[in-house]
Amino acid sequence: MTTALTDLPVVTGPVFVPGDEGYATEVASWNAATIHEPLVVVGATSAEDVAAAVRWAGAQGLPVAVQATGHGAVRPVTGGLLITTGRMSQVSVDPAARTARAAAGARWAQVIEAAAPHGLAPLNGSSSHVGVVGYTLGGGAGPLGRRYGFAADHVRSIEIVTADGALRTIDAGHEADLFWAVRGGKGNFGIVTAIEFGLFEVAGFFGGGIYFPGAHAAEVLHAYREWSTGLPEEMTASVALLRLPDLPVLPEPLRGAFVAHLRVAYLGAAEDGDRLLAPMRAAAPALIDDVQMLPYAAIDAVHRDPVDPVPSRERGVLLGEVTAETVERVLAAAGPQVDVPIVMIELRQLGGALARPPAVPNAVSGRGAGYSLFVIGVGVPELVPVVDAVTDRVLAVDTVPGGLINFSGHAGPEALLANWAPADRDRLLRIKRAYDPTNVFSGGQALVG
């Protein structure tokens, strides 16, 4: 369906159409491989802007998509309305209640900065540059996950615009079905304009990373396989095989190198952390070992994710355990001896609080798994067939049912629905039909069924 471009939504924020100056900047994603081409873009400045834009799209019969930072942009928006929320970046902290409130476009770095003076920390992900809302709605398994659970488990209330253009505030006692679905079902039920969540008394941690030469990848992965099974839940650890670019921003030993990167965050004393880490330090010689006591504001030191936009293509599965065969398959498909356009393969330990049900039930999937296996490849069109083929080989291991929606990446509709057990999947689809009967919110990782 087409619409008269002279009939545009009336909002406080800017409105763009193709050809306008600023359109390309407004639709740009952090994942540079995803190029959005919406018919209209609204740069929302408030919840009222979002509601007005959704009502306008409904009157025009247009689908609606939303983007904050663009870190989760795995499918392009073509046609329809795109609402960008980056201008809605307000954050506030209530230190007495140990809660934070973040608007739709806020990033974790803002929450960390606001909470740190009070000795508090949020359950952010591996990068503080990621948006609060999208990460949390997808579950959110971060560096403190094994101790405190998913970020979504600690959401107190949500402000959301549904397909009818209504602005609602939902929590465990108000529209509980929708509150259940949004926490884990991501953006399928409306556009979240603000979120309130719990904070934790964490002023610092023992953590960081150890980079090992790629030639020792087998020793490191096998050591991690055995070591991680005995860790207390105060320790959250992952290991990744990285093909790093040859850039001056990287330390000399890492430029253009293939490395194995151990990432750890431990909530305990440094001497206990050193004792726990000793088997991994003994696994192979280190290029860089920067694990130490750090203030929580330095949490990015654990993963050191890239800050600048990159073109990526990603997909993941869940494992019950990491076996020797799992390690050998990963190494055979994308180890140091092969030249493939794979940027990262990560094994991340789950379990602990990530395996326990939250106090207020939600739709977060993947609680029964022991590990996540996640692959990121170069997302340029000419390399996509190769990236997909290598990813298929890496992920052809013994998996467990379910998945993490934030790590589903470019999985198709059926694979996306398979993240949930049948009963939860059916409940999600029923709630989707109740609140969005015409599938207005059909972009991104859409539930179709």
Side-chain angles (χ1 to χ4, degrees):
M1 178 180 291
T2 60
T3 187
L5 295 184
T6 54
D7 177 21
L8 296 174
V10 178
V11 294
T12 302
V15 178
F16 304 89
V17 297
D20 284 352
E21 183 178 356
Y23 172 93
T25 300
E26 193 71 19
V27 304
S29 298
W30 186 87
N31 182 354
T34 300
I35 309 298
H36 297 312
E37 296 179 321
L39 185 67
V40 181
V41 190
V42 169
T45 60
S46 66
E48 290 72 24
D49 273 0
V50 174
V54 171
R55 288 193 295 270
W56 175 85
Q60 304 293 331
L62 295 174
V64 180
V66 64
Q67 176 167 279
T69 67
H71 280 80
V74 293
R75 289 183 179 80
V77 174
T78 304
L81 169 68
L82 175 64
I83 299 174
T84 58
T85 60
R87 294 170 181 82
M88 299 168 60
S89 58
Q90 303 86 353
V91 167
S92 61
V93 167
D94 183 338
R98 291 190 300 176
T99 60
R101 177 181 170 87
R107 297 174 187 258
W108 282 115
Q110 297 169 257
V111 182
I112 294 168
E113 182 180 5
H118 309 289
L120 299 173
L123 296 184
N124 55 279
S126 60
S127 170
S128 66
H129 295 271
V130 169
V132 173
V133 168
Y135 170 84
T136 302
L137 299 187
L144 304 186
R146 282 172 41 81
R147 174 63 181 87
Y148 292 116
F150 289 95
D153 296 347
H154 302 282
V155 172
R156 306 290 183 85
S157 69
I158 290 173
E159 186 182 88
I160 185 171
V161 174
T162 44
D164 57 1
L167 178 62
R168 309 164 188 260
T169 298
I170 61 174
D171 56 29
H174 301 85
E175 301 190 78
D177 259 5
L178 182 58
F179 188 58
W180 175 85
V182 171
R183 294 171 302 131
K186 217 152 182 177
N188 282 281
F189 310 93
I191 296 178
V192 169
T193 53
I195 188 169
E196 182 181 342
F197 50 92
L199 300 172
F200 297 86
E201 292 183 350
V202 177
F205 67 103
F206 176 80
I210 303 177
Y211 293 88
F212 298 97
H216 294 280
E219 296 101 299
V220 173
L221 291 187
H222 281 295
Y224 175 82
R225 173 177 65 83
E226 297 177 355
W227 171 75
S228 60
T229 60
L231 292 178
E233 60 187 51
E234 286 79 14
M235 173 80 83
T236 300
S238 63
V239 65
L241 300 182
L242 303 176
R243 286 177 168 80
L244 296 170
D246 187 1
L247 295 175
V249 69
L250 294 173
E252 182 60 39
L254 304 184
R255 293 178 190 173
F258 179 95
V259 299
H261 183 203
L262 178 72
R263 302 93 168 267
V264 298
Y266 175 63
L267 295 174
E271 54 268 28
D272 295 329
D274 280 326
R275 176 180 51 79
L276 286 168
L277 198 54
M280 288 305 302
R281 282 178 163 149
L287 293 170
I288 294 175
D289 182 339
D290 64 7
V291 179
Q292 58 189 301
M293 288 300 303
L294 294 168
Y296 193 78
I299 191 67
D300 282 349
V302 176
H303 285 255
R304 297 198 182 277
D305 285 351
V307 175
D308 296 326
V310 293
S312 63
R313 187 168 178 85
E314 58 198 47
R315 193 154 32 102
V317 296
L318 296 180
L319 313 176
E321 60 179 343
V322 178
T323 65
E325 291 74 20
T326 304
V327 170
E328 293 305 321
R329 179 173 289 278
V330 167
L331 291 170
Q337 80 287 352
V338 293
D339 183 14
V340 291
I342 298 299
V343 176
M344 184 190 83
I345 300 175
E346 180 194 65
L347 282 164
R348 182 179 302 198
Q349 189 181 22
L350 304 175
L354 294 168
R356 294 193 286 271
V360 179
N362 58 38
V364 173
S365 58
R367 292 188 191 272
Y371 296 83
S372 161
L373 174 59
F374 186 53
V375 182
I376 300 178
V378 179
V380 298
E382 59 269 26
L383 293 177
V384 164
V386 178
V387 169
D388 286 352
V390 176
T391 301
D392 286 343
R393 290 198 292 274
V394 172
L395 301 183
V397 295
D398 289 334
T399 63
V400 296
L404 302 174
I405 190 171
N406 281 349
F407 288 179
S408 293
H410 291 82
E414 289 187 8
L416 192 64
L417 280 173
N419 284 331
W420 292 276
D424 286 344
R425 181 167 65 242
D426 291 345
R427 185 180 179 188
L428 283 166
L429 292 174
R430 285 197 305 272
I431 297 168
K432 171 71 170 176
R433 288 190 291 267
Y435 281 92
D436 186 11
T438 60
N439 199 24
V440 170
F441 303 110
S442 56
Q445 292 169 309
L447 300 180
V448 180

